[in-house]
Amino acid sequence: MSERSLRKALIRKRTAKRVVPRAKVTRIQGNTSGVRKRLKKLAGKARAAAAAATAKAG
């Protein structure tokens, strides 16, 4: 493992300070079989939650 020099640490801090703030990703993204499987599972859970909320409201 390479040793991180003090200079590198300072440069990383400065660059991190200039980064444009962006919203965190709310769900995993990608096209691998594992990721697609998890997205499918999350979509099902979200759909079930939405159906439950609709049933409760109506």
Side-chain angles (χ1 to χ4, degrees), residues 11-57:
I11 290 172
R12 283 175 65 90
K13 279 183 186 176
R14 285 189 201 131
T15 357
K17 203 187 291 183
R18 285 196 305 264
V19 167
V20 178
R22 287 192 173 85
K24 296 278 183 197
V25 281
T26 53
R27 64 193 173 90
I28 46 172
Q29 292 168 342
N31 199 24
T32 60
S33 60
V35 169
R36 287 170 56 158
K37 200 180 295 176
R38 283 186 301 201
L39 278 171
K40 189 174 178 183
K41 181 179 179 179
L42 286 172
K45 288 175 90 171
R47 204 176 68 210
T54 307
K56 193 182 237 184

